[in-house]
């Protein structure tokens, strides 16, 4: 994300100090957002990563649904990425989901940690989070199945296994939205 100029930063603490360092932070990517006093940037990061887990599980589910119904993962994700529901993130994860390259960017144990932190904050703040809780259980199952060193996109492998199919790499070029196109 940094190399592609797409990093975003959430900052909390003193508004005055933020005003002084914002120009420096802005050089790191495409956005710097002041989110409040104290350490609330920590909650923003945790909430972001909870969403990351939920979105990835949902992406795994719909991709497996399409594949089991006869649509190639590459074609489905190309369609999704070009639709209103596509995003920088879905495009970024598409090569891993299509070609089953799970070189780690963020591991399942790290995702579980952030889901646990998010669910703990939700309990403290009395915010029900049923989708995050369900995702946390699926992540725990994936860890139990041995997915600890690879990228958390291996959620698609567990979704496929639970759906009665075995995925194979499609070995096709897929735009990740970050790499320069030739």
């Amino acid at each position: 994300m940094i190399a592609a100029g797409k990093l975003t930063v959430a900052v909390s603490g003193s508004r005055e100090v933020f005003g002084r360092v914002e120009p420096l932070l802005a050089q790191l990517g495409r956005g710097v957002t002041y989110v409040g006093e104290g350490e609330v940037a920590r909650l923003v990061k945790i909430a972001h990563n909870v969403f990351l887990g939920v979105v990835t599980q949902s992406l795994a589910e719909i991709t497996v649904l399409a594949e089991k119904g006869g649509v190639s993962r590459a074609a489905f994700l190309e369609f999704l990425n070009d639709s209103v529901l596509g995003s920088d993130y879905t495009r970024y994860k598409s090569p891993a989901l299509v070609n089953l390259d799970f070189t780690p960017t963020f591991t399942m144990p790290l995702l579980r940690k952030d889901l646990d932190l998010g669910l703990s904050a939700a309990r403290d703040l009395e915010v029900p989070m049923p989708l995050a809780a369900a995702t946390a259980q699926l992540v725990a199952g994936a860890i139990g199945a041995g997915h600890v060193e690879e990228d958390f996109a291996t959620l698609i492998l567990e979704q496929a296994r639970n759906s009665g199919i075995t995925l194979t790499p499609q070995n096709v070029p897929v735009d990740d939205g970050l790499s320069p196109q030739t």
Side-chain angles (χ1 to χ4, degrees):
M1 290 295 177
I2 293 171
K6 295 190 178 206
L7 178 73
T8 59
V9 179
V11 180
S12 60
S14 162
R15 173 68 93 165
E16 178 187 335
V17 172
F18 172 73
R20 291 195 311 260
V21 299
E22 181 182 14
L24 295 171
L25 294 173
Q27 294 177 30
L28 297 175
R30 71 175 177 194
V32 178
T33 304
Y34 178 76
V35 296
E37 295 289 326
E39 294 185 16
V40 297
R42 181 178 177 276
L43 181 60
V44 169
K45 180 253 186 203
I46 291 166
H48 174 275
N49 287 356
V50 168
F51 187 53
L52 184 74
V54 171
V55 167
T56 303
Q57 177 60 34
S58 180
L59 189 58
E61 290 176 16
I62 62 174
T63 303
V64 168
L65 172 66
E67 176 147 337
K68 192 164 183 181
V71 180
S72 81
R73 290 188 310 278
F76 174 71
L77 290 166
E78 180 181 347
F79 163 77
L80 180 74
N81 290 332
D82 289 340
S83 80
V84 69
L85 292 176
S87 67
D88 286 346
Y89 178 71
T90 61
R91 189 170 302 281
Y92 167 68
K93 276 301 176 196
S94 289
L97 300 179
V98 170
N99 296 318
L100 306 182
D101 176 1
F102 300 116
T103 302
T105 59
F106 194 62
T107 63
M108 207 72 77
L110 291 173
L111 179 58
R112 176 177 56 188
K113 174 191 63 79
D114 283 350
L115 285 164
D116 289 346
L117 289 169
L119 291 168
S120 177
R123 280 188 298 279
D124 291 347
L125 296 170
E126 298 189 18
V127 175
M129 295 182 59
L131 295 176
T135 300
Q137 290 299 304
L138 293 165
V139 167
I143 290 170
H147 299 288
V148 293
E149 299 293 327
E150 311 106 325
D151 191 80
F152 68 99
T154 55
L155 284 168
I156 196 167
L157 298 177
E158 287 302 295
Q159 183 63 37
R161 185 179 60 77
N162 291 332
S163 301
I165 63 172
T166 301
L167 302 181
T168 58
Q170 293 183 330
N171 298 319
V172 296
V174 179
D175 178 15
D176 67 2
L178 301 177
S179 304
Q181 299 300 301
T182 57

